[in-house]
Amino acid sequence: MAELAPHTGHRDRLREKLTSAGGLALHDYELLELYLFRCIPRRDTKPIAKDLIARFGDLGGVASAPIEQLVEVKGVSEKTAAELKLIKALSERLAREQVMGRTVIASWSALINYCRTAMQHATTEEFRVLFLDRKNKLIADEVLGRGTIDHAPVYPREVVKRALAHEASALILVHNHPSGDATPSQADIEMTRSLMEICQPFEIVVHDHLVIGRENTASFKTLGLM
């Protein structure tokens, strides 16, 4: 009988640990190891998992990294990189399910979690609009601007056009700061006020503007900026 590779027993122990104690009992690299087992079946994935975490910081950073950067890590093929992108897709979908069709007031923390899951690790700025109905239920979510590391083009009239198309009564604006600092810039403040003015004749309310940083989230409403 062929002798099992040393990492085979390690995989079984990790699976048992996950089953008996849950994901919180495992380190980030161990969870990543478990995921990589299905992508790289006959190889010790622990060094690869550790190298990925070291390169991109955490699981979110790994899942959000571009494929061309992932394949720079030894042992990661294009196929494996594509599989890793599935982590982010699943995370976003699960987080989105917690907020779609629900009132913002009842699911505010879930809404913040969804925005952070989607945008926290983005390497360029994205401008997202959450569209709400008259009962403040989230009915649509669209990225209306993508740009550079410190700027995403925003066209207020396009935002209003999409709001009318969705028959939305209110909006929540969201964008990220890839620099990591969630502090709103003067340009952010001016754009928000301009958008609020354009929305007013259409009786569309802008409830808040969230800025997603690497570690925290800033709210224009909480900061008294609107």
Side-chain angles (χ1 to χ4, degrees), residues 9-170:
H10 174 63
R11 292 183 175 194
D12 290 340
R13 287 191 295 274
L14 271 186
R15 290 191 183 101
E16 183 180 349
K17 187 176 180 181
L18 176 67
T19 303
S20 61
L24 292 178
L26 279 72
H27 297 290
D28 280 3
Y29 75 86
E30 290 177 319
L31 287 171
L32 191 53
E33 268 190 89
L34 278 170
Y35 186 81
L36 288 171
F37 291 168
R38 62 187 296 276
C39 314
I40 312 172
R42 290 177 294 278
R43 185 170 173 181
D44 181 7
T45 57
K46 184 175 182 178
I48 301 172
K50 285 194 168 185
D51 286 347
L52 283 165
I53 296 293
R55 170 74 184 272
F56 300 107
D58 54 26
L59 284 173
V62 172
S64 301
I67 286 180
E68 58 268 24
Q69 292 184 17
L70 289 169
V71 297
E72 292 174 358
V73 175
K74 184 178 179 181
V76 178
S77 65
E78 286 194 9
K79 180 182 177 181
T80 300
E83 291 278 358
L84 288 169
K85 301 305 294 181
L86 181 61
I87 298 175
K88 181 171 174 57
L90 288 170
S91 298
E92 282 190 36
R93 185 65 59 86
L94 289 170
R96 193 170 188 268
E97 287 178 356
Q98 299 303 309
V99 295
M100 285 303 298
R102 303 187 184 188
T103 61
V104 170
I105 293 174
S107 57
W108 187 252
S109 61
L111 185 77
I112 297 292
N113 180 59
Y114 167 57
C115 293
R116 292 193 62 78
T117 299
M119 305 173 75
Q120 177 184 8
H121 293 281
T123 56
T124 58
E125 273 204 18
E126 297 179 357
F127 182 79
R128 183 181 297 262
V129 181
L130 309 180
F131 301 92
L132 313 176
D133 66 11
R134 294 187 182 278
K135 295 182 179 180
N136 283 326
K137 289 184 178 181
L138 183 62
I139 54 175
D141 160 30
E142 295 181 4
V143 176
L144 296 183
R146 285 189 172 92
T148 64
I149 193 170
D150 59 2
H151 175 71
V154 180
Y155 303 102
R157 294 187 185 280
E158 178 65 19
V159 175
V160 173
K161 179 181 176 181
R162 297 304 301 152
L164 293 173
H166 288 298
E167 298 184 353
S169 298

